[in-house]
Amino acid sequence: MNHCAVSKQEFDLSHHRRLSVTILSDTHGYLDPMVAAMARETDIVLHAGDIMAAEVLAALQPRMGRVIAVRGNNDVESVWGRQNRLTLAGIPDVAVIRCAGGIVAMEHGHRLATIDHDHYPLAYRYPYARLVDYGHTQRLRLDDEKRPWLLNPGAAG
């Protein structure tokens, strides 16, 4: 477990009554053209980390122009390159998005030692959220039996 300070950004989108959202993770430096096309048809994009290239974020062009992303364990300067260090520095470890229907908490999940077999500690970390969006395991998983819902969109790259 990483005990370094965790950066967090909050976003308030609650003034929008309805939002269509593309949720993805683990693109690993490659954005499938079909995913890019899907993103253009939605209002915002949530990327749960392991982006690994500024070009991926640039290619995501939702209608409102808003891409909210968090850092994954592979989102480091040695992967992104020095020329992209300012872009990388602007990406938080955790994002909390206030929407009209509730709060979405997003992190990559790599700081949770049990994430490969147990994602429930994320529910305890964000009990106020309606949805916790995370990545890292690269396996699609949705647990919507109780709140908060836990979602890993799987690997998109």
PDB file of all heavy atoms in Angstrom, residues 1-7 70-73 92-95 106-115 122 125-126 136:
ATOM      1  N   MET A   1       0.829  -1.173   0.000  1.00  0.00           N
ATOM      2  CA  MET A   1       0.000   0.000   0.000  1.00  0.00           C
ATOM      3  C   MET A   1       0.873   1.235   0.000  1.00  0.00           C
ATOM      4  O   MET A   1       1.816   1.337   0.751  1.00  0.00           O
ATOM      5  CB  MET A   1      -0.916  -0.020   1.207  1.00  0.00           C
ATOM      6  CG  MET A   1      -1.635   1.269   1.296  1.00  0.00           C
ATOM      7  SD  MET A   1      -3.158   1.348   1.910  1.00  0.00           S
ATOM      8  CE  MET A   1      -4.481   0.836   1.820  1.00  0.00           C
ATOM      9  N   ASN A   2       0.532   2.190  -0.833  1.00  0.00           N
ATOM     10  CA  ASN A   2       1.275   3.429  -0.946  1.00  0.00           C
ATOM     11  C   ASN A   2       0.774   4.414   0.106  1.00  0.00           C
ATOM     12  O   ASN A   2      -0.399   4.732   0.172  1.00  0.00           O
ATOM     13  CB  ASN A   2       1.061   3.986  -2.354  1.00  0.00           C
ATOM     14  CG  ASN A   2       1.888   5.209  -2.634  1.00  0.00           C
ATOM     15  OD1 ASN A   2       2.446   5.809  -1.721  1.00  0.00           O
ATOM     16  ND2 ASN A   2       1.968   5.567  -3.885  1.00  0.00           N
ATOM     17  N   HIS A   3       1.661   4.926   0.953  1.00  0.00           N
ATOM     18  CA  HIS A   3       1.278   5.842   2.011  1.00  0.00           C
ATOM     19  C   HIS A   3       1.585   7.291   1.659  1.00  0.00           C
ATOM     20  O   HIS A   3       1.597   8.149   2.525  1.00  0.00           O
ATOM     21  CB  HIS A   3       1.974   5.447   3.320  1.00  0.00           C
ATOM     22  CG  HIS A   3       1.529   4.119   3.809  1.00  0.00           C
ATOM     23  ND1 HIS A   3       0.295   3.917   4.357  1.00  0.00           N
ATOM     24  CD2 HIS A   3       2.138   2.906   3.804  1.00  0.00           C
ATOM     25  CE1 HIS A   3       0.156   2.649   4.702  1.00  0.00           C
ATOM     26  NE2 HIS A   3       1.256   2.012   4.357  1.00  0.00           N
ATOM     27  N   CYS A   4       1.871   7.594   0.399  1.00  0.00           N
ATOM     28  CA  CYS A   4       2.127   8.964  -0.036  1.00  0.00           C
ATOM     29  C   CYS A   4       0.823   9.748  -0.008  1.00  0.00           C
ATOM     30  O   CYS A   4      -0.258   9.188  -0.036  1.00  0.00           O
ATOM     31  CB  CYS A   4       2.700   8.976  -1.451  1.00  0.00           C
ATOM     32  SG  CYS A   4       4.310   8.191  -1.576  1.00  0.00           S
ATOM     33  N   ALA A   5       0.943  11.061   0.002  1.00  0.00           N
ATOM     34  CA  ALA A   5      -0.239  11.914  -0.035  1.00  0.00           C
ATOM     35  C   ALA A   5      -1.033  11.642  -1.311  1.00  0.00           C
ATOM     36  O   ALA A   5      -0.467  11.451  -2.384  1.00  0.00           O
ATOM     37  CB  ALA A   5       0.172  13.369   0.029  1.00  0.00           C
ATOM     38  N   VAL A   6      -2.336  11.629  -1.179  1.00  0.00           N
ATOM     39  CA  VAL A   6      -3.231  11.371  -2.297  1.00  0.00           C
ATOM     40  C   VAL A   6      -3.871  12.692  -2.706  1.00  0.00           C
ATOM     41  O   VAL A   6      -4.456  13.393  -1.885  1.00  0.00           O
ATOM     42  CB  VAL A   6      -4.318  10.344  -1.890  1.00  0.00           C
ATOM     43  CG1 VAL A   6      -5.330  10.163  -2.997  1.00  0.00           C
ATOM     44  CG2 VAL A   6      -3.677   9.012  -1.522  1.00  0.00           C
ATOM     45  N   SER A   7      -3.746  13.040  -3.986  1.00  0.00           N
ATOM     46  CA  SER A   7      -4.369  14.268  -4.468  1.00  0.00           C
ATOM     47  C   SER A   7      -5.824  13.987  -4.849  1.00  0.00           C
ATOM     48  O   SER A   7      -6.154  12.905  -5.342  1.00  0.00           O
ATOM     49  CB  SER A   7      -3.608  14.836  -5.663  1.00  0.00           C
ATOM     50  OG  SER A   7      -3.666  13.944  -6.758  1.00  0.00           O
ATOM     51  N   VAL A  70      -8.380  10.165 -13.485  1.00  0.00           N
ATOM     52  CA  VAL A  70      -7.525   9.979 -12.315  1.00  0.00           C
ATOM     53  C   VAL A  70      -6.282   9.206 -12.743  1.00  0.00           C
ATOM     54  O   VAL A  70      -6.276   8.527 -13.766  1.00  0.00           O
ATOM     55  CB  VAL A  70      -8.251   9.243 -11.157  1.00  0.00           C
ATOM     56  CG1 VAL A  70      -9.395  10.081 -10.617  1.00  0.00           C
ATOM     57  CG2 VAL A  70      -8.735   7.864 -11.581  1.00  0.00           C
ATOM     58  N   ARG A  71      -5.242   9.328 -11.935  1.00  0.00           N
ATOM     59  CA  ARG A  71      -3.984   8.636 -12.229  1.00  0.00           C
ATOM     60  C   ARG A  71      -4.062   7.169 -11.850  1.00  0.00           C
ATOM     61  O   ARG A  71      -4.586   6.809 -10.811  1.00  0.00           O
ATOM     62  CB  ARG A  71      -2.853   9.219 -11.391  1.00  0.00           C
ATOM     63  CG  ARG A  71      -2.303  10.489 -11.857  1.00  0.00           C
ATOM     64  CD  ARG A  71      -1.122  10.809 -10.963  1.00  0.00           C
ATOM     65  NE  ARG A  71      -0.709  12.173 -11.157  1.00  0.00           N
ATOM     66  CZ  ARG A  71       0.545  12.540 -11.302  1.00  0.00           C
ATOM     67  NH1 ARG A  71       1.505  11.654 -11.234  1.00  0.00           N
ATOM     68  NH2 ARG A  71       0.845  13.798 -11.488  1.00  0.00           N
ATOM     69  N   GLY A  72      -3.453   6.361 -12.692  1.00  0.00           N
ATOM     70  CA  GLY A  72      -3.248   4.961 -12.373  1.00  0.00           C
ATOM     71  C   GLY A  72      -1.796   4.726 -12.000  1.00  0.00           C
ATOM     72  O   GLY A  72      -0.962   5.641 -12.068  1.00  0.00           O
ATOM     73  N   ASN A  73      -1.457   3.512 -11.630  1.00  0.00           N
ATOM     74  CA  ASN A  73      -0.085   3.192 -11.236  1.00  0.00           C
ATOM     75  C   ASN A  73       0.906   3.341 -12.384  1.00  0.00           C
ATOM     76  O   ASN A  73       2.091   3.531 -12.161  1.00  0.00           O
ATOM     77  CB  ASN A  73      -0.004   1.785 -10.638  1.00  0.00           C
ATOM     78  CG  ASN A  73      -0.527   0.722 -11.574  1.00  0.00           C
ATOM     79  OD1 ASN A  73      -1.680   0.756 -11.983  1.00  0.00           O
ATOM     80  ND2 ASN A  73       0.311  -0.242 -11.894  1.00  0.00           N
ATOM     81  N   PRO A  92      -5.558  14.171 -10.863  1.00  0.00           N
ATOM     82  CA  PRO A  92      -5.539  13.780  -9.450  1.00  0.00           C
ATOM     83  C   PRO A  92      -5.536  12.266  -9.272  1.00  0.00           C
ATOM     84  O   PRO A  92      -5.793  11.513 -10.210  1.00  0.00           O
ATOM     85  CB  PRO A  92      -6.846  14.372  -8.913  1.00  0.00           C
ATOM     86  CG  PRO A  92      -7.776  14.259 -10.087  1.00  0.00           C
ATOM     87  CD  PRO A  92      -6.902  14.573 -11.288  1.00  0.00           C
ATOM     88  N   ASP A  93      -5.276  11.840  -8.045  1.00  0.00           N
ATOM     89  CA  ASP A  93      -5.380  10.422  -7.690  1.00  0.00           C
ATOM     90  C   ASP A  93      -6.841  10.018  -7.494  1.00  0.00           C
ATOM     91  O   ASP A  93      -7.220   8.875  -7.747  1.00  0.00           O
ATOM     92  CB  ASP A  93      -4.607  10.138  -6.400  1.00  0.00           C
ATOM     93  CG  ASP A  93      -3.125  10.415  -6.559  1.00  0.00           C
ATOM     94  OD1 ASP A  93      -2.531   9.898  -7.522  1.00  0.00           O
ATOM     95  OD2 ASP A  93      -2.561  11.142  -5.727  1.00  0.00           O
ATOM     96  N   VAL A  94      -7.639  10.951  -7.011  1.00  0.00           N
ATOM     97  CA  VAL A  94      -9.046  10.707  -6.704  1.00  0.00           C
ATOM     98  C   VAL A  94      -9.875  11.857  -7.268  1.00  0.00           C
ATOM     99  O   VAL A  94      -9.476  13.016  -7.170  1.00  0.00           O
ATOM    100  CB  VAL A  94      -9.277  10.615  -5.175  1.00  0.00           C
ATOM    101  CG1 VAL A  94     -10.757  10.532  -4.832  1.00  0.00           C
ATOM    102  CG2 VAL A  94      -8.517   9.432  -4.586  1.00  0.00           C
ATOM    103  N   ALA A  95     -11.018  11.525  -7.850  1.00  0.00           N
ATOM    104  CA  ALA A  95     -11.977  12.540  -8.288  1.00  0.00           C
ATOM    105  C   ALA A  95     -13.320  12.239  -7.639  1.00  0.00           C
ATOM    106  O   ALA A  95     -13.731  11.073  -7.554  1.00  0.00           O
ATOM    107  CB  ALA A  95     -12.119  12.537  -9.812  1.00  0.00           C
ATOM    108  N   MET A 106     -14.107   8.328  -7.910  1.00  0.00           N
ATOM    109  CA  MET A 106     -13.302   7.599  -8.885  1.00  0.00           C
ATOM    110  C   MET A 106     -11.846   7.589  -8.457  1.00  0.00           C
ATOM    111  O   MET A 106     -11.278   8.620  -8.095  1.00  0.00           O
ATOM    112  CB  MET A 106     -13.452   8.272 -10.261  1.00  0.00           C
ATOM    113  CG  MET A 106     -12.705   7.574 -11.375  1.00  0.00           C
ATOM    114  SD  MET A 106     -13.113   8.209 -13.039  1.00  0.00           S
ATOM    115  CE  MET A 106     -12.675   9.929 -12.937  1.00  0.00           C
ATOM    116  N   GLU A 107     -11.261   6.421  -8.482  1.00  0.00           N
ATOM    117  CA  GLU A 107      -9.823   6.234  -8.294  1.00  0.00           C
ATOM    118  C   GLU A 107      -9.420   5.000  -9.071  1.00  0.00           C
ATOM    119  O   GLU A 107     -10.265   4.204  -9.469  1.00  0.00           O
ATOM    120  CB  GLU A 107      -9.455   6.124  -6.814  1.00  0.00           C
ATOM    121  CG  GLU A 107      -9.859   4.836  -6.136  1.00  0.00           C
ATOM    122  CD  GLU A 107      -9.229   4.714  -4.754  1.00  0.00           C
ATOM    123  OE1 GLU A 107      -9.650   5.439  -3.849  1.00  0.00           O
ATOM    124  OE2 GLU A 107      -8.319   3.879  -4.613  1.00  0.00           O
ATOM    125  N   HIS A 108      -8.137   4.829  -9.275  1.00  0.00           N
ATOM    126  CA  HIS A 108      -7.678   3.690 -10.072  1.00  0.00           C
ATOM    127  C   HIS A 108      -7.804   2.372  -9.317  1.00  0.00           C
ATOM    128  O   HIS A 108      -8.099   1.347  -9.920  1.00  0.00           O
ATOM    129  CB  HIS A 108      -6.241   3.920 -10.544  1.00  0.00           C
ATOM    130  CG  HIS A 108      -5.768   2.888 -11.521  1.00  0.00           C
ATOM    131  ND1 HIS A 108      -6.403   2.654 -12.721  1.00  0.00           N
ATOM    132  CD2 HIS A 108      -4.724   2.027 -11.475  1.00  0.00           C
ATOM    133  CE1 HIS A 108      -5.765   1.688 -13.372  1.00  0.00           C
ATOM    134  NE2 HIS A 108      -4.742   1.298 -12.648  1.00  0.00           N
ATOM    135  N   GLY A 109      -7.575   2.375  -8.043  1.00  0.00           N
ATOM    136  CA  GLY A 109      -7.723   1.158  -7.246  1.00  0.00           C
ATOM    137  C   GLY A 109      -6.424   0.478  -6.868  1.00  0.00           C
ATOM    138  O   GLY A 109      -6.417  -0.430  -6.056  1.00  0.00           O
ATOM    139  N   HIS A 110      -5.306   0.914  -7.433  1.00  0.00           N
ATOM    140  CA  HIS A 110      -4.032   0.230  -7.196  1.00  0.00           C
ATOM    141  C   HIS A 110      -3.492   0.415  -5.785  1.00  0.00           C
ATOM    142  O   HIS A 110      -2.644  -0.356  -5.357  1.00  0.00           O
ATOM    143  CB  HIS A 110      -2.989   0.678  -8.219  1.00  0.00           C
ATOM    144  CG  HIS A 110      -2.655   2.128  -8.161  1.00  0.00           C
ATOM    145  ND1 HIS A 110      -3.526   3.102  -8.584  1.00  0.00           N
ATOM    146  CD2 HIS A 110      -1.550   2.772  -7.724  1.00  0.00           C
ATOM    147  CE1 HIS A 110      -2.969   4.283  -8.419  1.00  0.00           C
ATOM    148  NE2 HIS A 110      -1.766   4.117  -7.897  1.00  0.00           N
ATOM    149  N   ARG A 111      -3.989   1.395  -5.058  1.00  0.00           N
ATOM    150  CA  ARG A 111      -3.530   1.582  -3.677  1.00  0.00           C
ATOM    151  C   ARG A 111      -4.257   0.659  -2.704  1.00  0.00           C
ATOM    152  O   ARG A 111      -3.970   0.658  -1.519  1.00  0.00           O
ATOM    153  CB  ARG A 111      -3.694   3.045  -3.253  1.00  0.00           C
ATOM    154  CG  ARG A 111      -2.677   3.956  -3.921  1.00  0.00           C
ATOM    155  CD  ARG A 111      -2.794   5.393  -3.449  1.00  0.00           C
ATOM    156  NE  ARG A 111      -4.126   5.939  -3.660  1.00  0.00           N
ATOM    157  CZ  ARG A 111      -4.573   6.414  -4.828  1.00  0.00           C
ATOM    158  NH1 ARG A 111      -3.784   6.406  -5.867  1.00  0.00           N
ATOM    159  NH2 ARG A 111      -5.776   6.895  -4.941  1.00  0.00           N
ATOM    160  N   LEU A 112      -5.190  -0.121  -3.202  1.00  0.00           N
ATOM    161  CA  LEU A 112      -5.939  -1.066  -2.380  1.00  0.00           C
ATOM    162  C   LEU A 112      -5.363  -2.467  -2.614  1.00  0.00           C
ATOM    163  O   LEU A 112      -5.538  -3.047  -3.683  1.00  0.00           O
ATOM    164  CB  LEU A 112      -7.417  -1.011  -2.758  1.00  0.00           C
ATOM    165  CG  LEU A 112      -8.371  -1.856  -1.959  1.00  0.00           C
ATOM    166  CD1 LEU A 112      -8.397  -1.412  -0.502  1.00  0.00           C
ATOM    167  CD2 LEU A 112      -9.761  -1.752  -2.555  1.00  0.00           C
ATOM    168  N   ALA A 113      -4.699  -2.997  -1.621  1.00  0.00           N
ATOM    169  CA  ALA A 113      -3.980  -4.271  -1.769  1.00  0.00           C
ATOM    170  C   ALA A 113      -4.891  -5.435  -2.163  1.00  0.00           C
ATOM    171  O   ALA A 113      -4.454  -6.367  -2.835  1.00  0.00           O
ATOM    172  CB  ALA A 113      -3.233  -4.594  -0.477  1.00  0.00           C
ATOM    173  N   THR A 114      -6.144  -5.390  -1.781  1.00  0.00           N
ATOM    174  CA  THR A 114      -7.056  -6.510  -2.030  1.00  0.00           C
ATOM    175  C   THR A 114      -7.858  -6.373  -3.319  1.00  0.00           C
ATOM    176  O   THR A 114      -8.720  -7.214  -3.584  1.00  0.00           O
ATOM    177  CB  THR A 114      -8.055  -6.636  -0.864  1.00  0.00           C
ATOM    178  OG1 THR A 114      -8.838  -5.434  -0.803  1.00  0.00           O
ATOM    179  CG2 THR A 114      -7.353  -6.878   0.455  1.00  0.00           C
ATOM    180  N   ILE A 115      -7.595  -5.360  -4.120  1.00  0.00           N
ATOM    181  CA  ILE A 115      -8.461  -5.032  -5.251  1.00  0.00           C
ATOM    182  C   ILE A 115      -8.648  -6.185  -6.238  1.00  0.00           C
ATOM    183  O   ILE A 115      -9.696  -6.317  -6.850  1.00  0.00           O
ATOM    184  CB  ILE A 115      -7.965  -3.756  -5.980  1.00  0.00           C
ATOM    185  CG1 ILE A 115      -9.075  -3.176  -6.864  1.00  0.00           C
ATOM    186  CG2 ILE A 115      -6.724  -4.030  -6.797  1.00  0.00           C
ATOM    187  CD1 ILE A 115     -10.181  -2.527  -6.115  1.00  0.00           C
ATOM    188  N   LEU A 122     -13.452  -0.257  -1.182  1.00  0.00           N
ATOM    189  CA  LEU A 122     -13.759   0.994  -1.859  1.00  0.00           C
ATOM    190  C   LEU A 122     -15.111   1.543  -1.395  1.00  0.00           C
ATOM    191  O   LEU A 122     -15.301   2.754  -1.296  1.00  0.00           O
ATOM    192  CB  LEU A 122     -13.752   0.821  -3.376  1.00  0.00           C
ATOM    193  CG  LEU A 122     -12.388   0.626  -4.011  1.00  0.00           C
ATOM    194  CD1 LEU A 122     -12.529   0.237  -5.483  1.00  0.00           C
ATOM    195  CD2 LEU A 122     -11.531   1.871  -3.869  1.00  0.00           C
ATOM    196  N   ARG A 125     -14.470   3.216   1.806  1.00  0.00           N
ATOM    197  CA  ARG A 125     -13.687   4.447   1.617  1.00  0.00           C
ATOM    198  C   ARG A 125     -14.579   5.604   1.162  1.00  0.00           C
ATOM    199  O   ARG A 125     -14.315   6.761   1.461  1.00  0.00           O
ATOM    200  CB  ARG A 125     -12.590   4.178   0.583  1.00  0.00           C
ATOM    201  CG  ARG A 125     -11.581   5.291   0.444  1.00  0.00           C
ATOM    202  CD  ARG A 125     -10.465   4.902  -0.497  1.00  0.00           C
ATOM    203  NE  ARG A 125      -9.565   3.943   0.135  1.00  0.00           N
ATOM    204  CZ  ARG A 125      -8.562   3.337  -0.484  1.00  0.00           C
ATOM    205  NH1 ARG A 125      -8.320   3.584  -1.755  1.00  0.00           N
ATOM    206  NH2 ARG A 125      -7.790   2.486   0.157  1.00  0.00           N
ATOM    207  N   TYR A 126     -15.654   5.277   0.401  1.00  0.00           N
ATOM    208  CA  TYR A 126     -16.545   6.301  -0.155  1.00  0.00           C
ATOM    209  C   TYR A 126     -18.003   5.980   0.187  1.00  0.00           C
ATOM    210  O   TYR A 126     -18.843   5.817  -0.715  1.00  0.00           O
ATOM    211  CB  TYR A 126     -16.366   6.396  -1.678  1.00  0.00           C
ATOM    212  CG  TYR A 126     -14.948   6.647  -2.089  1.00  0.00           C
ATOM    213  CD1 TYR A 126     -14.151   5.621  -2.597  1.00  0.00           C
ATOM    214  CD2 TYR A 126     -14.387   7.913  -1.954  1.00  0.00           C
ATOM    215  CE1 TYR A 126     -12.833   5.853  -2.968  1.00  0.00           C
ATOM    216  CE2 TYR A 126     -13.070   8.152  -2.322  1.00  0.00           C
ATOM    217  CZ  TYR A 126     -12.301   7.111  -2.828  1.00  0.00           C
ATOM    218  OH  TYR A 126     -10.997   7.340  -3.184  1.00  0.00           O
ATOM    219  N   HIS A 136      -7.691  -0.746 -12.762  1.00  0.00           N
ATOM    220  CA  HIS A 136      -6.523  -1.500 -12.342  1.00  0.00           C
ATOM    221  C   HIS A 136      -6.587  -2.995 -12.632  1.00  0.00           C
ATOM    222  O   HIS A 136      -5.639  -3.539 -13.164  1.00  0.00           O
ATOM    223  CB  HIS A 136      -6.190  -1.265 -10.870  1.00  0.00           C
ATOM    224  CG  HIS A 136      -4.874  -1.846 -10.447  1.00  0.00           C
ATOM    225  ND1 HIS A 136      -3.679  -1.467 -11.029  1.00  0.00           N
ATOM    226  CD2 HIS A 136      -4.568  -2.779  -9.519  1.00  0.00           C
ATOM    227  CE1 HIS A 136      -2.693  -2.154 -10.476  1.00  0.00           C
ATOM    228  NE2 HIS A 136      -3.205  -2.954  -9.563  1.00  0.00           N
TER     229      HIS A 136
END
